[in-house]
Amino acid sequence: MTSSHSQALFDRATGVMPGGVSSPVRAFGAVGGTPPFIAAGNGARITDADGRTYIDLVASWGPLILGHAHPAVVEAVASAAALGTSFGAPTHGEVELAELIVSALPSVEMVRFVSSGTEATMSALRLARAATGRARVLKFAGCYHGHVDSLLVSAGSGVATLGLPDSPGVTDATRSQTVVAAYNSTESVAEAFDAFGDDLAAVIVEPIAANMGVVPAVNGFLEDLRRRCDEAGTLLIFDEVVTGFRVGWSGAQGSLGITPDLTTLGKVVGGGLPIGAYGGRRDLMEMVAPSGPVYQAGTLSGNPISVAAGLATLRQLSAPGTYERLESLGAALESGIERAIKQAGVPAGVQRVGSMMTLFFVDGVVTNFDEARECDTTRFRHFFHEMLAWGVYLPPSQLEASFVSLAHTTDDIGEVVSAVEESLERSWP
Ligand code: KE4
């Protein structure tokens, strides 16, 4: 179903912007059709250019954990903007936000702000290479860490191997320094360390994968990474751009009890405005310019408006009971969808951590990228559009996470479950 205003806007956009969008997944390439152009958001809902309203489960890909246009965030942004939008100089707010992050994440003794998750992971890799004097990095197939050249690689899964570029423009020289292993496979990790361990500067991992759909780490997988990194002198980087302040106040590292050497953050810590951050052990972070030789800079790093939105968001999240409520809403949605799947008798299942989840169209548990790619994406495409027509806005890709916010009510959850029941029926005629 295409709204006339969205179609007209998309036609204009594709004339002046690659794919008509500012980020590829927004173009609906995986599901087809014309993306609704969104005009406004309020709480758990967004409204498109034709006034059609949807219950939003994308949350701008994670940041909007409070829901859209939360009064505390809007007020903080407006007040900050009235004092000026950027100074290129230190500000009080970024110290407050840095201290708050340090207090929340025990492994983070110091933090540096940047303007995106990509900048955070790119900078953390540079720091790890400088600190270890090594070149290679190990990542996992199906994990996404932003569009950093050295992380835009993914080879066949199941075996640690030298990465194959996911994108033209990533050079052979770059890919030769990236080793790819299978998520949740200690055997694959063993092969990588056996082959490259003494040249691995870092292992970067999503402690709860969200970019092949939600795939939690199986027991022992992260502990094995920590042990192998310690043995090999390799730094462990937790990419918590999605999970940071999403799955708990102290992130996935807090709930899983694993201590990384460096952590990358984004999304929620900016409350919907552009932000990223990387942080960790003091001895490592003091290597970052100007206190050390590792150069990294940014015109709008620590931007006061982003920082104001982030502080307002985290201060709301720090209130007692917020993560319990997110868990309760997430669990209600998961059980409602599982009932709908059972009632429809279709091969599908939900994988969830807290308020982030994925409905996989495949039989059985998804533990890695190969298994995620077994999903019936044709069914997902039909299901997605049925849900959109019903008024529920899902991520337009099977291999992404849906997010519930504190603005969602139990009634909203009930509406989404009803939409799932009807959409499953229509997707399996
Ligand atoms: P950004 O550069 O998009 O701020 O962050 C990159 C990034 C880093 N690490 C993880 C674990 C991430 O999930 C991301 C970005 N997430 C995607 C959604 N899966 C952003 C959406 C998009 O690319 O448009």
Side-chain angles (χ1 to χ4, degrees):
M1 178 177 9
T2 302
S3 69
S4 57
H5 282 70
S6 288
Q7 188 60 61
L9 286 166
F10 199 40
D11 293 344
R12 286 171 52 191
T14 46
V16 289
M17 298 158 68
V21 292
S22 295
S23 196
V25 72
R26 305 177 189 175
F28 274 29
V31 294
T34 296
F37 276 56
I38 304 305
N42 182 16
R45 283 165 172 73
I46 52 176
T47 301
D48 73 14
D50 270 337
R52 189 173 295 122
T53 296
Y54 310 87
I55 296 176
D56 179 27
L57 293 179
V58 177
S60 182
W61 305 95
L64 279 299
I65 196 167
L66 302 184
H68 294 276
H70 188 284
V73 176
V74 173
E75 197 282 323
V77 166
S79 303
L83 297 173
T85 55
S86 178
F87 311 109
T91 63
H92 180 187
E94 57 194 319
V95 182
E96 293 273 349
L97 185 57
E99 288 174 341
L100 197 156
I101 290 169
V102 166
S103 69
L105 299 175
S107 73
V108 177
E109 296 176 307
M110 299 189 91
V111 63
R112 168 60 63 85
F113 293 115
V114 291
S115 297
S116 69
T118 294
E119 270 193 275
T121 58
M122 174 176 69
S123 307
L125 281 194
R126 181 179 311 133
L127 175 57
R129 286 171 160 150
T132 60
R134 300 175 179 181
R136 282 197 170 95
V137 296
L138 169 61
K139 74 173 289 288
F140 294 91
C143 284
Y144 176 71
H145 305 287
H147 61 93
V148 189
D149 270 11
S150 52
L151 297 174
L152 267 186
V153 293
S154 171
S157 62
V159 178
T161 177
L162 292 185
L164 292 177
D166 270 350
S167 167
V170 177
T171 64
D172 288 349
T174 297
R175 78 174 174 87
S176 69
Q177 297 183 330
T178 302
V179 181
V180 180
Y183 196 77
N184 277 328
S185 166
T186 50
E187 297 75 22
S188 177
V189 170
E191 287 177 26
F193 272 90
D194 291 348
F196 305 108
D198 58 1
D199 187 32
L200 284 176
V203 173
I204 185 166
V205 65
E206 293 180 66
I208 300 165
N211 288 286
M212 48 181 130
V214 175
V215 177
V218 300
N219 283 340
F221 173 64
L222 297 173
E223 292 81 353
D224 179 63
L225 284 184
R226 179 68 275 175
R227 176 179 61 80
R228 288 187 176 278
C229 283
D230 290 341
E231 289 167 357
T234 299
L235 296 180
L236 180 58
I237 303 174
F238 270 12
D239 181 353
E240 295 222 43
V241 167
V242 169
T243 55
F245 296 97
R246 165 62 66 176
V247 299
W249 183 249
S250 54
Q253 58 193 269
S255 53
L256 298 171
I258 310 273
T259 302
D261 300 299
L262 293 171
T263 297
T264 54
L265 298 166
K267 296 184 193 273
V268 170
V269 296
L273 270 72
I275 203 165
Y278 64 104
R281 285 174 20 205
R282 183 178 298 276
D283 65 307
L284 296 172
M285 292 305 294
E286 284 185 337
M287 293 182 67
V288 178
S291 52
V294 181
Y295 196 71
Q296 177 268 308
T299 302
L300 295 174
S301 295
N303 174 267
I305 317 298
S306 296
V307 164
L311 277 170
T313 299
L314 298 193
R315 284 168 177 157
Q316 292 289 321
L317 286 174
S318 66
T322 47
Y323 289 100
E324 289 80 359
R325 172 151 178 74
L326 287 165
E327 172 56 29
S328 157
L329 289 166
L333 182 53
E334 177 186 14
S335 58
I337 295 174
E338 290 288 6
R339 277 197 310 276
I341 290 167
K342 195 167 168 43
Q343 179 185 317
V346 297
V350 177
Q351 296 188 184
R352 175 182 73 87
V353 178
S355 57
M356 55 191 263
M357 69 188 80
T358 297
L359 168 50
F360 284 106
F361 282 83
V362 72
D363 237 346
V365 178
V366 174
T367 65
N368 63 37
F369 195 34
D370 271 358
E371 292 167 1
R373 287 190 295 192
E374 291 298 311
C375 285
D376 184 343
T377 51
T378 303
R379 295 282 186 196
F380 177 82
R381 177 190 288 249
H382 290 304
F383 175 76
F384 173 85
H385 283 288
E386 291 292 348
M387 291 288 280
L388 196 65
W390 204 100
V392 176
Y393 189 77
L394 291 174
S397 162
Q398 167 71 92
L399 303 183
E400 292 287 357
S402 291
F403 298 98
V404 175
S405 81
L406 286 166
H408 287 82
T409 64
T410 46
D411 287 348
D412 294 327
I413 299 302
E415 283 191 58
V416 173
V417 171
S418 300
V420 171
E421 286 164 353
E422 291 180 27
S423 301
L424 284 177
E425 216 173 288
R426 296 205 187 106
S427 306
W428 263 267

